[in-house]
């Protein structure tokens, strides 16, 4: 049986999605991810976190 790769949490760089947000079935319909993407300051902060995690 093929296993799906673990989806990565877009707002917790380095972590896989643990379905921590109520109602979410994954990053694709996570309300927290949506909120962060709507907010320019949070998006910028997330980009900074990502670049730190990637290094
Ligand atoms: S539910 Fe959303 S915030 Fe929680 S781990 Fe998954 S993607 Fe990240």
């Amino acid at each position: 049986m093929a296993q799906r790769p673990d989806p990565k949490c877009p707002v917790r760089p380095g972590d896989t999605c643990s379905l921590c947000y109520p109602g979410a079935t994954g990053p694709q319909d996570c309300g927290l991810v949506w909120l962060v993407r709507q907010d320019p300051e949070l998006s910028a902060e997330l980009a900074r976190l990502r670049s730190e995690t990637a290094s």
Side-chain angles (χ1 to χ4, degrees):
M1 194 166 28
Q3 271 205 321
R4 286 193 309 165
D6 287 333
K8 295 273 185 275
C9 172
V11 294
R12 296 190 306 176
D15 283 3
T16 53
C17 176
S18 60
L19 303 181
C20 71
Y21 194 85
T25 61
Q28 71 281 351
D29 65 356
C30 171
L32 189 58
V33 171
W34 185 86
L35 273 175
V36 170
R37 287 189 178 149
Q38 301 308 302
D39 187 310
E41 282 187 19
L42 285 178
S43 290
E45 177 68 7
L46 182 57
R48 190 184 64 76
L49 272 176
R50 280 214 184 110
S51 64
E52 276 183 5
T53 307
S55 62

